[in-house]
Amino acid sequence: MRIDIISVVPDILKSPFEASILKRAIEKGVVEVHIHNLRDYSLGNYKQVDDYQFGGGAGMVLMIEPIDKCIRDLKSERDYDEIIYLTPDGQRLDQKMSNSLSLLKNIIILCGHYKGVDQRVRDTLITKEISIGDYVLSGGELGAAVLADAVIRLLPGVLNDETSALTDTFQDDLLAPPVYTRPREYKGLEVPEVLLGGNFKAIEEWREEQAYLRTKKLRPDLLE
């Protein structure tokens, strides 16, 4: 898989891909992540990528021309399955969407900034708009890192135990059950006995029941 991220402040995006699971995925060749500075496609000597919005109002807007140049440059080298714009009014990112995106070969992620992008970008260049939640960030870079992490960890060969992703929260529209590790007892707090007996059928039934009960208590909307 290849992920191209377009950003006005690409330095924000470096560290997430230089550590832990994402770094390992890149080093193993499971995924390529390329970060592109939008200012490399900017206008004039001042590397302008934004301007005041027509009609007045506070906040700058990313211009269509440098974005169009960058996307056209990338598309001249390969085909892309999705060109994604991160925006608070996009479709809410969830596990099903992450699963679907993990099956794609090439995607572009455009990070918004300031007041957003010229609407013509969204009308003519973007194929999918995604939100990571009902709140506003200073830019789309952190959202791009969240999206990339959610997708990359699902790729075959990324996790040491590939079955781990199948039991994550939301995979079956349920929250994950509680988990425990050593010590068996700590300050009077004990691990449930069912997990210690080696009866894997009983353990699986307990986990399924706990997942349902936790979901019913904490996120009943998921059961609808």
mmCIF file with all atom_site columns, all heavy atoms in Angstrom, residues 119-146:
data_model
loop_
_atom_site.group_PDB
_atom_site.id
_atom_site.type_symbol
_atom_site.label_atom_id
_atom_site.label_alt_id
_atom_site.label_comp_id
_atom_site.label_asym_id
_atom_site.label_entity_id
_atom_site.label_seq_id
_atom_site.pdbx_PDB_ins_code
_atom_site.Cartn_x
_atom_site.Cartn_y
_atom_site.Cartn_z
_atom_site.occupancy
_atom_site.B_iso_or_equiv
_atom_site.pdbx_formal_charge
_atom_site.auth_seq_id
_atom_site.auth_comp_id
_atom_site.auth_asym_id
_atom_site.auth_atom_id
_atom_site.pdbx_PDB_model_num
ATOM 1   N N   . GLN A 1 119 ? -13.588 25.515 -2.037 1.00 0.00 ? 119 GLN A N   1
ATOM 2   C CA  . GLN A 1 119 ? -14.633 24.519 -2.255 1.00 0.00 ? 119 GLN A CA  1
ATOM 3   C C   . GLN A 1 119 ? -14.461 23.771 -3.575 1.00 0.00 ? 119 GLN A C   1
ATOM 4   O O   . GLN A 1 119 ? -14.852 22.610 -3.704 1.00 0.00 ? 119 GLN A O   1
ATOM 5   C CB  . GLN A 1 119 ? -16.017 25.181 -2.217 1.00 0.00 ? 119 GLN A CB  1
ATOM 6   C CG  . GLN A 1 119 ? -17.182 24.228 -2.387 1.00 0.00 ? 119 GLN A CG  1
ATOM 7   C CD  . GLN A 1 119 ? -17.272 23.184 -1.285 1.00 0.00 ? 119 GLN A CD  1
ATOM 8   O OE1 . GLN A 1 119 ? -16.989 23.468 -0.124 1.00 0.00 ? 119 GLN A OE1 1
ATOM 9   N NE2 . GLN A 1 119 ? -17.672 21.959 -1.651 1.00 0.00 ? 119 GLN A NE2 1
ATOM 10  N N   . ARG A 1 120 ? -13.829 24.422 -4.562 1.00 0.00 ? 120 ARG A N   1
ATOM 11  C CA  . ARG A 1 120 ? -13.643 23.768 -5.854 1.00 0.00 ? 120 ARG A CA  1
ATOM 12  C C   . ARG A 1 120 ? -12.711 22.564 -5.760 1.00 0.00 ? 120 ARG A C   1
ATOM 13  O O   . ARG A 1 120 ? -12.791 21.648 -6.587 1.00 0.00 ? 120 ARG A O   1
ATOM 14  C CB  . ARG A 1 120 ? -13.134 24.789 -6.873 1.00 0.00 ? 120 ARG A CB  1
ATOM 15  C CG  . ARG A 1 120 ? -14.194 25.834 -7.246 1.00 0.00 ? 120 ARG A CG  1
ATOM 16  C CD  . ARG A 1 120 ? -13.610 26.984 -8.010 1.00 0.00 ? 120 ARG A CD  1
ATOM 17  N NE  . ARG A 1 120 ? -12.740 27.823 -7.168 1.00 0.00 ? 120 ARG A NE  1
ATOM 18  C CZ  . ARG A 1 120 ? -12.177 28.956 -7.584 1.00 0.00 ? 120 ARG A CZ  1
ATOM 19  N NH1 . ARG A 1 120 ? -12.383 29.383 -8.831 1.00 0.00 ? 120 ARG A NH1 1
ATOM 20  N NH2 . ARG A 1 120 ? -11.421 29.661 -6.759 1.00 0.00 ? 120 ARG A NH2 1
ATOM 21  N N   . VAL A 1 121 ? -11.832 22.562 -4.761 1.00 0.00 ? 121 VAL A N   1
ATOM 22  C CA  . VAL A 1 121 ? -11.007 21.376 -4.509 1.00 0.00 ? 121 VAL A CA  1
ATOM 23  C C   . VAL A 1 121 ? -11.903 20.204 -4.128 1.00 0.00 ? 121 VAL A C   1
ATOM 24  O O   . VAL A 1 121 ? -11.770 19.089 -4.651 1.00 0.00 ? 121 VAL A O   1
ATOM 25  C CB  . VAL A 1 121 ? -9.987  21.655 -3.388 1.00 0.00 ? 121 VAL A CB  1
ATOM 26  C CG1 . VAL A 1 121 ? -9.262  20.380 -2.987 1.00 0.00 ? 121 VAL A CG1 1
ATOM 27  C CG2 . VAL A 1 121 ? -8.994  22.726 -3.814 1.00 0.00 ? 121 VAL A CG2 1
ATOM 28  N N   . ARG A 1 122 ? -12.820 20.459 -3.237 1.00 0.00 ? 122 ARG A N   1
ATOM 29  C CA  . ARG A 1 122 ? -13.718 19.415 -2.760 1.00 0.00 ? 122 ARG A CA  1
ATOM 30  C C   . ARG A 1 122 ? -14.675 18.960 -3.851 1.00 0.00 ? 122 ARG A C   1
ATOM 31  O O   . ARG A 1 122 ? -15.050 17.781 -3.918 1.00 0.00 ? 122 ARG A O   1
ATOM 32  C CB  . ARG A 1 122 ? -14.487 19.913 -1.540 1.00 0.00 ? 122 ARG A CB  1
ATOM 33  C CG  . ARG A 1 122 ? -13.573 20.363 -0.408 1.00 0.00 ? 122 ARG A CG  1
ATOM 34  C CD  . ARG A 1 122 ? -14.309 20.990 0.757  1.00 0.00 ? 122 ARG A CD  1
ATOM 35  N NE  . ARG A 1 122 ? -15.105 20.016 1.499  1.00 0.00 ? 122 ARG A NE  1
ATOM 36  C CZ  . ARG A 1 122 ? -15.673 20.282 2.668  1.00 0.00 ? 122 ARG A CZ  1
ATOM 37  N NH1 . ARG A 1 122 ? -15.528 21.469 3.233  1.00 0.00 ? 122 ARG A NH1 1
ATOM 38  N NH2 . ARG A 1 122 ? -16.372 19.355 3.284  1.00 0.00 ? 122 ARG A NH2 1
ATOM 39  N N   . ASP A 1 123 ? -15.066 19.878 -4.703 1.00 0.00 ? 123 ASP A N   1
ATOM 40  C CA  . ASP A 1 123 ? -16.041 19.555 -5.750 1.00 0.00 ? 123 ASP A CA  1
ATOM 41  C C   . ASP A 1 123 ? -15.436 18.744 -6.889 1.00 0.00 ? 123 ASP A C   1
ATOM 42  O O   . ASP A 1 123 ? -16.135 17.935 -7.507 1.00 0.00 ? 123 ASP A O   1
ATOM 43  C CB  . ASP A 1 123 ? -16.642 20.844 -6.324 1.00 0.00 ? 123 ASP A CB  1
ATOM 44  C CG  . ASP A 1 123 ? -17.522 21.580 -5.324 1.00 0.00 ? 123 ASP A CG  1
ATOM 45  O OD1 . ASP A 1 123 ? -17.961 20.946 -4.338 1.00 0.00 ? 123 ASP A OD1 1
ATOM 46  O OD2 . ASP A 1 123 ? -17.761 22.788 -5.526 1.00 0.00 ? 123 ASP A OD2 1
ATOM 47  N N   . THR A 1 124 ? -14.143 18.944 -7.181 1.00 0.00 ? 124 THR A N   1
ATOM 48  C CA  . THR A 1 124 ? -13.578 18.370 -8.404 1.00 0.00 ? 124 THR A CA  1
ATOM 49  C C   . THR A 1 124 ? -12.405 17.409 -8.198 1.00 0.00 ? 124 THR A C   1
ATOM 50  O O   . THR A 1 124 ? -12.112 16.605 -9.083 1.00 0.00 ? 124 THR A O   1
ATOM 51  C CB  . THR A 1 124 ? -13.106 19.490 -9.356 1.00 0.00 ? 124 THR A CB  1
ATOM 52  O OG1 . THR A 1 124 ? -12.054 20.247 -8.729 1.00 0.00 ? 124 THR A OG1 1
ATOM 53  C CG2 . THR A 1 124 ? -14.250 20.426 -9.696 1.00 0.00 ? 124 THR A CG2 1
ATOM 54  N N   . LEU A 1 125 ? -11.722 17.483 -7.059 1.00 0.00 ? 125 LEU A N   1
ATOM 55  C CA  . LEU A 1 125 ? -10.511 16.686 -6.872 1.00 0.00 ? 125 LEU A CA  1
ATOM 56  C C   . LEU A 1 125 ? -10.652 15.588 -5.826 1.00 0.00 ? 125 LEU A C   1
ATOM 57  O O   . LEU A 1 125 ? -9.973  14.566 -5.910 1.00 0.00 ? 125 LEU A O   1
ATOM 58  C CB  . LEU A 1 125 ? -9.339  17.603 -6.477 1.00 0.00 ? 125 LEU A CB  1
ATOM 59  C CG  . LEU A 1 125 ? -8.965  18.700 -7.471 1.00 0.00 ? 125 LEU A CG  1
ATOM 60  C CD1 . LEU A 1 125 ? -7.878  19.606 -6.881 1.00 0.00 ? 125 LEU A CD1 1
ATOM 61  C CD2 . LEU A 1 125 ? -8.480  18.094 -8.782 1.00 0.00 ? 125 LEU A CD2 1
ATOM 62  N N   . ILE A 1 126 ? -11.511 15.802 -4.851 1.00 0.00 ? 126 ILE A N   1
ATOM 63  C CA  . ILE A 1 126 ? -11.635 14.886 -3.716 1.00 0.00 ? 126 ILE A CA  1
ATOM 64  C C   . ILE A 1 126 ? -12.664 13.795 -4.014 1.00 0.00 ? 126 ILE A C   1
ATOM 65  O O   . ILE A 1 126 ? -13.734 14.074 -4.556 1.00 0.00 ? 126 ILE A O   1
ATOM 66  C CB  . ILE A 1 126 ? -12.038 15.662 -2.443 1.00 0.00 ? 126 ILE A CB  1
ATOM 67  C CG1 . ILE A 1 126 ? -10.988 16.743 -2.127 1.00 0.00 ? 126 ILE A CG1 1
ATOM 68  C CG2 . ILE A 1 126 ? -12.223 14.710 -1.275 1.00 0.00 ? 126 ILE A CG2 1
ATOM 69  C CD1 . ILE A 1 126 ? -9.592  16.206 -1.915 1.00 0.00 ? 126 ILE A CD1 1
ATOM 70  N N   . THR A 1 127 ? -12.337 12.560 -3.639 1.00 0.00 ? 127 THR A N   1
ATOM 71  C CA  . THR A 1 127 ? -13.274 11.452 -3.833 1.00 0.00 ? 127 THR A CA  1
ATOM 72  C C   . THR A 1 127 ? -13.915 10.993 -2.529 1.00 0.00 ? 127 THR A C   1
ATOM 73  O O   . THR A 1 127 ? -14.939 10.312 -2.552 1.00 0.00 ? 127 THR A O   1
ATOM 74  C CB  . THR A 1 127 ? -12.562 10.247 -4.481 1.00 0.00 ? 127 THR A CB  1
ATOM 75  O OG1 . THR A 1 127 ? -11.549 9.752  -3.588 1.00 0.00 ? 127 THR A OG1 1
ATOM 76  C CG2 . THR A 1 127 ? -11.925 10.647 -5.805 1.00 0.00 ? 127 THR A CG2 1
ATOM 77  N N   . LYS A 1 128 ? -13.304 11.346 -1.387 1.00 0.00 ? 128 LYS A N   1
ATOM 78  C CA  . LYS A 1 128 ? -13.858 10.916 -0.097 1.00 0.00 ? 128 LYS A CA  1
ATOM 79  C C   . LYS A 1 128 ? -13.482 11.934 0.968  1.00 0.00 ? 128 LYS A C   1
ATOM 80  O O   . LYS A 1 128 ? -12.330 12.362 1.024  1.00 0.00 ? 128 LYS A O   1
ATOM 81  C CB  . LYS A 1 128 ? -13.314 9.535  0.281  1.00 0.00 ? 128 LYS A CB  1
ATOM 82  C CG  . LYS A 1 128 ? -14.032 8.859  1.441  1.00 0.00 ? 128 LYS A CG  1
ATOM 83  C CD  . LYS A 1 128 ? -13.492 7.464  1.658  1.00 0.00 ? 128 LYS A CD  1
ATOM 84  C CE  . LYS A 1 128 ? -14.352 6.672  2.627  1.00 0.00 ? 128 LYS A CE  1
ATOM 85  N NZ  . LYS A 1 128 ? -15.694 6.381  2.089  1.00 0.00 ? 128 LYS A NZ  1
ATOM 86  N N   . GLU A 1 129 ? -14.436 12.322 1.801  1.00 0.00 ? 129 GLU A N   1
ATOM 87  C CA  . GLU A 1 129 ? -14.179 13.261 2.888  1.00 0.00 ? 129 GLU A CA  1
ATOM 88  C C   . GLU A 1 129 ? -14.392 12.549 4.215  1.00 0.00 ? 129 GLU A C   1
ATOM 89  O O   . GLU A 1 129 ? -15.409 11.890 4.430  1.00 0.00 ? 129 GLU A O   1
ATOM 90  C CB  . GLU A 1 129 ? -15.092 14.477 2.775  1.00 0.00 ? 129 GLU A CB  1
ATOM 91  C CG  . GLU A 1 129 ? -14.863 15.256 1.479  1.00 0.00 ? 129 GLU A CG  1
ATOM 92  C CD  . GLU A 1 129 ? -15.653 16.551 1.430  1.00 0.00 ? 129 GLU A CD  1
ATOM 93  O OE1 . GLU A 1 129 ? -16.627 16.689 2.208  1.00 0.00 ? 129 GLU A OE1 1
ATOM 94  O OE2 . GLU A 1 129 ? -15.286 17.426 0.628  1.00 0.00 ? 129 GLU A OE2 1
ATOM 95  N N   . ILE A 1 130 ? -13.406 12.679 5.111  1.00 0.00 ? 130 ILE A N   1
ATOM 96  C CA  . ILE A 1 130 ? -13.417 11.929 6.365  1.00 0.00 ? 130 ILE A CA  1
ATOM 97  C C   . ILE A 1 130 ? -13.193 12.876 7.541  1.00 0.00 ? 130 ILE A C   1
ATOM 98  O O   . ILE A 1 130 ? -12.364 13.787 7.476  1.00 0.00 ? 130 ILE A O   1
ATOM 99  C CB  . ILE A 1 130 ? -12.321 10.838 6.356  1.00 0.00 ? 130 ILE A CB  1
ATOM 100 C CG1 . ILE A 1 130 ? -12.627 9.798  5.280  1.00 0.00 ? 130 ILE A CG1 1
ATOM 101 C CG2 . ILE A 1 130 ? -12.205 10.169 7.723  1.00 0.00 ? 130 ILE A CG2 1
ATOM 102 C CD1 . ILE A 1 130 ? -11.557 8.735  5.153  1.00 0.00 ? 130 ILE A CD1 1
ATOM 103 N N   . SER A 1 131 ? -13.922 12.623 8.622  1.00 0.00 ? 131 SER A N   1
ATOM 104 C CA  . SER A 1 131 ? -13.735 13.323 9.887  1.00 0.00 ? 131 SER A CA  1
ATOM 105 C C   . SER A 1 131 ? -13.316 12.307 10.942 1.00 0.00 ? 131 SER A C   1
ATOM 106 O O   . SER A 1 131 ? -13.817 11.184 10.963 1.00 0.00 ? 131 SER A O   1
ATOM 107 C CB  . SER A 1 131 ? -15.039 13.994 10.323 1.00 0.00 ? 131 SER A CB  1
ATOM 108 O OG  . SER A 1 131 ? -14.977 14.407 11.675 1.00 0.00 ? 131 SER A OG  1
ATOM 109 N N   . ILE A 1 132 ? -12.378 12.681 11.823 1.00 0.00 ? 132 ILE A N   1
ATOM 110 C CA  . ILE A 1 132 ? -12.006 11.778 12.909 1.00 0.00 ? 132 ILE A CA  1
ATOM 111 C C   . ILE A 1 132 ? -12.791 12.101 14.184 1.00 0.00 ? 132 ILE A C   1
ATOM 112 O O   . ILE A 1 132 ? -12.573 11.472 15.219 1.00 0.00 ? 132 ILE A O   1
ATOM 113 C CB  . ILE A 1 132 ? -10.490 11.819 13.198 1.00 0.00 ? 132 ILE A CB  1
ATOM 114 C CG1 . ILE A 1 132 ? -10.060 13.190 13.702 1.00 0.00 ? 132 ILE A CG1 1
ATOM 115 C CG2 . ILE A 1 132 ? -9.692  11.397 11.974 1.00 0.00 ? 132 ILE A CG2 1
ATOM 116 C CD1 . ILE A 1 132 ? -8.655  13.192 14.312 1.00 0.00 ? 132 ILE A CD1 1
ATOM 117 N N   . GLY A 1 133 ? -13.702 13.062 14.122 1.00 0.00 ? 133 GLY A N   1
ATOM 118 C CA  . GLY A 1 133 ? -14.510 13.373 15.291 1.00 0.00 ? 133 GLY A CA  1
ATOM 119 C C   . GLY A 1 133 ? -15.150 14.740 15.191 1.00 0.00 ? 133 GLY A C   1
ATOM 120 O O   . GLY A 1 133 ? -14.772 15.563 14.348 1.00 0.00 ? 133 GLY A O   1
ATOM 121 N N   . ASP A 1 134 ? -16.115 14.981 16.049 1.00 0.00 ? 134 ASP A N   1
ATOM 122 C CA  . ASP A 1 134 ? -16.859 16.239 16.017 1.00 0.00 ? 134 ASP A CA  1
ATOM 123 C C   . ASP A 1 134 ? -16.146 17.324 16.815 1.00 0.00 ? 134 ASP A C   1
ATOM 124 O O   . ASP A 1 134 ? -16.617 17.774 17.869 1.00 0.00 ? 134 ASP A O   1
ATOM 125 C CB  . ASP A 1 134 ? -18.275 16.026 16.554 1.00 0.00 ? 134 ASP A CB  1
ATOM 126 C CG  . ASP A 1 134 ? -19.095 15.113 15.667 1.00 0.00 ? 134 ASP A CG  1
ATOM 127 O OD1 . ASP A 1 134 ? -18.726 14.939 14.488 1.00 0.00 ? 134 ASP A OD1 1
ATOM 128 O OD2 . ASP A 1 134 ? -20.107 14.565 16.149 1.00 0.00 ? 134 ASP A OD2 1
ATOM 129 N N   . TYR A 1 135 ? -14.989 17.710 16.326 1.00 0.00 ? 135 TYR A N   1
ATOM 130 C CA  . TYR A 1 135 ? -14.220 18.791 16.929 1.00 0.00 ? 135 TYR A CA  1
ATOM 131 C C   . TYR A 1 135 ? -13.284 19.330 15.863 1.00 0.00 ? 135 TYR A C   1
ATOM 132 O O   . TYR A 1 135 ? -13.115 18.732 14.797 1.00 0.00 ? 135 TYR A O   1
ATOM 133 C CB  . TYR A 1 135 ? -13.417 18.296 18.143 1.00 0.00 ? 135 TYR A CB  1
ATOM 134 C CG  . TYR A 1 135 ? -12.673 17.007 17.895 1.00 0.00 ? 135 TYR A CG  1
ATOM 135 C CD1 . TYR A 1 135 ? -11.395 17.015 17.319 1.00 0.00 ? 135 TYR A CD1 1
ATOM 136 C CD2 . TYR A 1 135 ? -13.237 15.779 18.213 1.00 0.00 ? 135 TYR A CD2 1
ATOM 137 C CE1 . TYR A 1 135 ? -10.721 15.832 17.078 1.00 0.00 ? 135 TYR A CE1 1
ATOM 138 C CE2 . TYR A 1 135 ? -12.562 14.601 17.973 1.00 0.00 ? 135 TYR A CE2 1
ATOM 139 C CZ  . TYR A 1 135 ? -11.303 14.632 17.405 1.00 0.00 ? 135 TYR A CZ  1
ATOM 140 O OH  . TYR A 1 135 ? -10.631 13.471 17.158 1.00 0.00 ? 135 TYR A OH  1
ATOM 141 N N   . VAL A 1 136 ? -12.698 20.486 16.120 1.00 0.00 ? 136 VAL A N   1
ATOM 142 C CA  . VAL A 1 136 ? -11.853 21.147 15.131 1.00 0.00 ? 136 VAL A CA  1
ATOM 143 C C   . VAL A 1 136 ? -10.412 21.193 15.622 1.00 0.00 ? 136 VAL A C   1
ATOM 144 O O   . VAL A 1 136 ? -10.152 21.557 16.774 1.00 0.00 ? 136 VAL A O   1
ATOM 145 C CB  . VAL A 1 136 ? -12.353 22.586 14.852 1.00 0.00 ? 136 VAL A CB  1
ATOM 146 C CG1 . VAL A 1 136 ? -11.432 23.289 13.866 1.00 0.00 ? 136 VAL A CG1 1
ATOM 147 C CG2 . VAL A 1 136 ? -13.782 22.548 14.312 1.00 0.00 ? 136 VAL A CG2 1
ATOM 148 N N   . LEU A 1 137 ? -9.477  20.785 14.760 1.00 0.00 ? 137 LEU A N   1
ATOM 149 C CA  . LEU A 1 137 ? -8.051  20.868 15.049 1.00 0.00 ? 137 LEU A CA  1
ATOM 150 C C   . LEU A 1 137 ? -7.447  22.038 14.276 1.00 0.00 ? 137 LEU A C   1
ATOM 151 O O   . LEU A 1 137 ? -8.075  22.605 13.382 1.00 0.00 ? 137 LEU A O   1
ATOM 152 C CB  . LEU A 1 137 ? -7.359  19.564 14.647 1.00 0.00 ? 137 LEU A CB  1
ATOM 153 C CG  . LEU A 1 137 ? -7.848  18.291 15.344 1.00 0.00 ? 137 LEU A CG  1
ATOM 154 C CD1 . LEU A 1 137 ? -7.197  17.068 14.722 1.00 0.00 ? 137 LEU A CD1 1
ATOM 155 C CD2 . LEU A 1 137 ? -7.552  18.359 16.832 1.00 0.00 ? 137 LEU A CD2 1
ATOM 156 N N   . SER A 1 138 ? -6.216  22.371 14.603 1.00 0.00 ? 138 SER A N   1
ATOM 157 C CA  . SER A 1 138 ? -5.541  23.468 13.897 1.00 0.00 ? 138 SER A CA  1
ATOM 158 C C   . SER A 1 138 ? -5.257  23.107 12.444 1.00 0.00 ? 138 SER A C   1
ATOM 159 O O   . SER A 1 138 ? -5.116  23.978 11.596 1.00 0.00 ? 138 SER A O   1
ATOM 160 C CB  . SER A 1 138 ? -4.225  23.821 14.604 1.00 0.00 ? 138 SER A CB  1
ATOM 161 O OG  . SER A 1 138 ? -4.476  24.233 15.931 1.00 0.00 ? 138 SER A OG  1
ATOM 162 N N   . GLY A 1 139 ? -5.147  21.836 12.161 1.00 0.00 ? 139 GLY A N   1
ATOM 163 C CA  . GLY A 1 139 ? -4.907  21.375 10.800 1.00 0.00 ? 139 GLY A CA  1
ATOM 164 C C   . GLY A 1 139 ? -5.193  19.892 10.703 1.00 0.00 ? 139 GLY A C   1
ATOM 165 O O   . GLY A 1 139 ? -5.444  19.218 11.710 1.00 0.00 ? 139 GLY A O   1
ATOM 166 N N   . GLY A 1 140 ? -5.137  19.369 9.502  1.00 0.00 ? 140 GLY A N   1
ATOM 167 C CA  . GLY A 1 140 ? -5.481  17.975 9.279  1.00 0.00 ? 140 GLY A CA  1
ATOM 168 C C   . GLY A 1 140 ? -4.359  16.986 9.522  1.00 0.00 ? 140 GLY A C   1
ATOM 169 O O   . GLY A 1 140 ? -4.558  15.771 9.366  1.00 0.00 ? 140 GLY A O   1
ATOM 170 N N   . GLU A 1 141 ? -3.179  17.475 9.896  1.00 0.00 ? 141 GLU A N   1
ATOM 171 C CA  . GLU A 1 141 ? -2.021  16.582 10.024 1.00 0.00 ? 141 GLU A CA  1
ATOM 172 C C   . GLU A 1 141 ? -2.207  15.499 11.088 1.00 0.00 ? 141 GLU A C   1
ATOM 173 O O   . GLU A 1 141 ? -1.909  14.323 10.854 1.00 0.00 ? 141 GLU A O   1
ATOM 174 C CB  . GLU A 1 141 ? -0.765  17.403 10.321 1.00 0.00 ? 141 GLU A CB  1
ATOM 175 C CG  . GLU A 1 141 ? -0.228  18.179 9.136  1.00 0.00 ? 141 GLU A CG  1
ATOM 176 C CD  . GLU A 1 141 ? -1.058  19.418 8.810  1.00 0.00 ? 141 GLU A CD  1
ATOM 177 O OE1 . GLU A 1 141 ? -1.827  19.872 9.700  1.00 0.00 ? 141 GLU A OE1 1
ATOM 178 O OE2 . GLU A 1 141 ? -0.950  19.930 7.679  1.00 0.00 ? 141 GLU A OE2 1
ATOM 179 N N   . LEU A 1 142 ? -2.672  15.872 12.265 1.00 0.00 ? 142 LEU A N   1
ATOM 180 C CA  . LEU A 1 142 ? -2.879  14.874 13.311 1.00 0.00 ? 142 LEU A CA  1
ATOM 181 C C   . LEU A 1 142 ? -3.979  13.897 12.917 1.00 0.00 ? 142 LEU A C   1
ATOM 182 O O   . LEU A 1 142 ? -3.897  12.705 13.206 1.00 0.00 ? 142 LEU A O   1
ATOM 183 C CB  . LEU A 1 142 ? -3.211  15.555 14.636 1.00 0.00 ? 142 LEU A CB  1
ATOM 184 C CG  . LEU A 1 142 ? -2.113  16.466 15.208 1.00 0.00 ? 142 LEU A CG  1
ATOM 185 C CD1 . LEU A 1 142 ? -2.575  17.092 16.520 1.00 0.00 ? 142 LEU A CD1 1
ATOM 186 C CD2 . LEU A 1 142 ? -0.831  15.682 15.431 1.00 0.00 ? 142 LEU A CD2 1
ATOM 187 N N   . GLY A 1 143 ? -4.979  14.397 12.236 1.00 0.00 ? 143 GLY A N   1
ATOM 188 C CA  . GLY A 1 143 ? -6.028  13.521 11.727 1.00 0.00 ? 143 GLY A CA  1
ATOM 189 C C   . GLY A 1 143 ? -5.494  12.543 10.694 1.00 0.00 ? 143 GLY A C   1
ATOM 190 O O   . GLY A 1 143 ? -5.899  11.378 10.661 1.00 0.00 ? 143 GLY A O   1
ATOM 191 N N   . ALA A 1 144 ? -4.570  13.014 9.847  1.00 0.00 ? 144 ALA A N   1
ATOM 192 C CA  . ALA A 1 144 ? -3.963  12.140 8.842  1.00 0.00 ? 144 ALA A CA  1
ATOM 193 C C   . ALA A 1 144 ? -3.173  11.024 9.507  1.00 0.00 ? 144 ALA A C   1
ATOM 194 O O   . ALA A 1 144 ? -3.186  9.869  9.061  1.00 0.00 ? 144 ALA A O   1
ATOM 195 C CB  . ALA A 1 144 ? -3.057  12.953 7.918  1.00 0.00 ? 144 ALA A CB  1
ATOM 196 N N   . ALA A 1 145 ? -2.474  11.356 10.592 1.00 0.00 ? 145 ALA A N   1
ATOM 197 C CA  . ALA A 1 145 ? -1.715  10.343 11.329 1.00 0.00 ? 145 ALA A CA  1
ATOM 198 C C   . ALA A 1 145 ? -2.654  9.316  11.956 1.00 0.00 ? 145 ALA A C   1
ATOM 199 O O   . ALA A 1 145 ? -2.373  8.115  11.945 1.00 0.00 ? 145 ALA A O   1
ATOM 200 C CB  . ALA A 1 145 ? -0.853  11.000 12.406 1.00 0.00 ? 145 ALA A CB  1
ATOM 201 N N   . VAL A 1 146 ? -3.778  9.780  12.500 1.00 0.00 ? 146 VAL A N   1
ATOM 202 C CA  . VAL A 1 146 ? -4.776  8.875  13.075 1.00 0.00 ? 146 VAL A CA  1
ATOM 203 C C   . VAL A 1 146 ? -5.325  7.939  11.996 1.00 0.00 ? 146 VAL A C   1
ATOM 204 O O   . VAL A 1 146 ? -5.410  6.717  12.192 1.00 0.00 ? 146 VAL A O   1
ATOM 205 C CB  . VAL A 1 146 ? -5.924  9.674  13.725 1.00 0.00 ? 146 VAL A CB  1
ATOM 206 C CG1 . VAL A 1 146 ? -7.097  8.765  14.065 1.00 0.00 ? 146 VAL A CG1 1
ATOM 207 C CG2 . VAL A 1 146 ? -5.432  10.393 14.971 1.00 0.00 ? 146 VAL A CG2 1
#
